[in-house]
Amino acid sequence: MSAHIEATALRALLTQVGGDHDLQRRFVHDFVHLWHSRSQRLAAALGAQYPNAEEAHVVLLSIRSSSTMVGAITVEATAAMMHDALRDGDIPGSMRHIRRLNEVGEQACADLATMFALQR
């Protein structure tokens, strides 16, 4: 297992999909392949001249829930910090973590792609 992926969460995901390894693999595949669009949507929502806090909230919820399910604990923790700042109305504070979120997201995706032999 990697430093960015928690094995227990991946086992829980397998249990949640009824032990179906193909379904688990598809979920992981979707997480990896949706990462760029999610991170771009978040950057667009927070970085606009008139930030869209509601869109950022939706994207962060999506990132947090899917990260939890695949065991990407650092991604979830970073997204949680951003989400907390956003809920406090601190959009610049949320935006300060976006580089770190992208870094840990890319690392988690690379680890998951390797673990599941996915094409990126």
Side-chain angles (χ1 to χ4, degrees):
M1 206 53 46
S2 82
H4 304 285
I5 305 299
E6 184 180 72
T8 306
L10 279 175
R11 283 193 295 276
L13 174 60
L14 184 59
T15 300
Q16 290 169 9
V17 296
D20 185 334
H21 287 277
D22 288 335
L23 194 54
Q24 178 195 38
R25 180 181 167 82
R26 275 196 304 269
F27 189 91
V28 170
H29 173 274
D30 289 347
F31 178 87
V32 170
H33 286 87
L34 290 173
W35 176 254
H36 287 282
S37 65
R38 283 181 177 144
S39 65
Q40 288 173 348
R41 278 179 60 201
L42 182 59
L46 291 174
Q49 182 178 356
Y50 301 104
N52 185 339
E54 188 172 319
E55 172 71 359
H57 172 76
V58 169
V59 176
L60 284 167
L61 282 176
S62 174
I63 289 171
R64 290 184 68 188
S65 63
S66 60
S67 295
T68 298
M69 291 182 75
V70 299
I73 53 175
T74 309
V75 175
E76 196 287 326
T78 306
M81 286 190 305
M82 293 179 73
H83 208 202
D84 289 345
L86 184 66
R87 273 185 278 187
D88 291 342
D90 184 7
I91 290 175
S94 184
M95 190 65 179
R96 276 193 293 278
H97 298 289
I98 202 158
R99 179 176 286 142
R100 177 71 178 146
L101 181 68
N102 287 328
E103 289 172 5
V104 296
E106 286 295 325
Q107 292 167 343
C109 286
D111 290 350
L112 287 165
T114 299
M115 292 166 59
F116 285 83
L118 301 174
Q119 297 292 322
R120 286 196 71 198

